[in-house]
Amino acid sequence: MLEEFIAGEERTLVALCDGEHALALPLARDYKSLHDDGAGPNTGGMGAVCPAPVAGGPDAEQLCAAAIAPVLAKLQERGTPYCGFMYAGLMMKPGGGWAVLEYNCRLGDPEAQATLPLLDSSLAELLRAAAAGTLADMRPRWRDAAAVCVTLAAAGYPDAPRLGDEFALAPPPAGDGLLVFHAGTAPAQGRTDGFAVSGGRVLNVVGVAAQQAEARQKAYRHAAAIGLPGAQMRGDIGAES
Ligand code: GLY
């Protein structure tokens, strides 16, 4: 099969849908390749930043109106209204314009880890409104802050992740703007303070701060201190301003 090669910068647009209305979340950016600067094999995502506006380009609401609302309207017209998160993977072309690469019926991973910590309203209320068909009445608040998520992947990921490596991990200090989300982890055998690698992408370390550069610094400092044997981590997540 031949596919068009589309160069550009990826953006992830996610909207919460109630069958009729779509509520756009802030744009996020995912970093798909294993190594810095787009080198190496494709992965599920080695990190994310949010918000990730497109300089001089459309905002999340405009992209939602163009890329998600028509799909939602068509699904409703067909008698199969969609309720839940709808994900549009977008490529912003260097000369302007954009393309949809994929749709998913879910949040992004790791985009969600960088997006939801910025939500300053109740997620439960939003989900209830989506289920009840009342999203049009919702005006969620978002923190005026930035979040950077750095993913720690197992040695050998993505081809042959090495499973079973054990490591200790304490929760980050509360109030420091740091979050650690587990992904490919399981309790370590025979000890209470540790975990074992059980999947390719092991941990997501998220820094939240007023500015992206500070959020990035927090995430990287904490990620570097985690003693995950053979961990793979990109060094350029959120490096653009
Ligand atoms: N990070 C890409 C995805 O969730 O599909």
Side-chain angles (χ1 to χ4, degrees):
M1 187 173 76
L2 283 180
E3 291 183 70
E4 183 188 353
F5 178 81
I6 307 174
E9 246 182 38
E10 286 193 43
R11 288 293 184 279
T12 297
L13 171 67
V14 173
L16 183 57
C17 304
D18 68 359
E20 185 176 358
H21 305 101
L23 187 72
L25 277 54
L27 282 175
R29 180 173 175 183
D30 182 20
Y31 296 72
K32 286 267 174 44
S33 62
L34 183 65
H35 303 305
D36 290 15
D37 300 322
N42 204 34
T43 73
M46 292 295 291
V49 301
C50 186
V54 182
D59 64 19
E61 281 71 29
Q62 290 167 321
L63 290 165
C64 184
I68 288 189
V71 179
L72 198 59
K74 193 70 188 174
L75 288 170
Q76 191 179 33
E77 188 190 309
R78 286 181 174 177
T80 55
Y82 178 73
C83 181
F85 288 106
M86 193 184 295
Y87 169 125
L90 307 175
M91 187 66 87
M92 313 312 296
K93 299 182 183 180
W98 51 274
V100 179
L101 303 183
E102 59 172 339
Y103 286 100
N104 292 305
C105 292
R106 55 170 175 80
L107 288 159
D109 175 10
E111 296 95 307
Q113 292 88 312
T115 303
L116 294 181
L118 302 180
L119 181 61
D120 200 19
S121 297
S122 162
L123 178 61
E125 290 293 324
L126 287 173
L127 296 179
R128 190 164 64 177
T134 57
L135 264 187
D137 302 332
M138 302 302 280
R139 303 279 178 275
R141 290 182 311 278
W142 293 92
R143 293 171 61 183
D144 186 13
V148 173
C149 170
V150 175
T151 299
L152 272 71
Y157 175 79
D159 294 335
R162 192 175 75 205
L163 307 184
D165 286 337
E166 295 192 358
F167 59 99
L169 183 69
D176 269 10
L178 273 167
L179 295 157
V180 176
F181 293 101
H182 287 239
T185 64
Q189 298 285 330
R191 53 189 277 194
T192 53
D193 66 338
F195 298 92
V197 173
S198 64
R201 287 183 293 163
V202 184
L203 295 167
N204 297 282
V205 180
V206 180
V208 180
Q211 304 297 329
Q212 182 172 308
E214 193 191 340
R216 175 171 193 272
Q217 202 176 40
K218 280 188 192 191
Y220 270 110
R221 198 179 298 140
H222 196 71
I226 295 174
L228 178 63
Q232 301 188 82
M233 175 171 76
R234 275 180 66 151
D236 65 345
I237 310 299
E240 70 293 340
S241 59

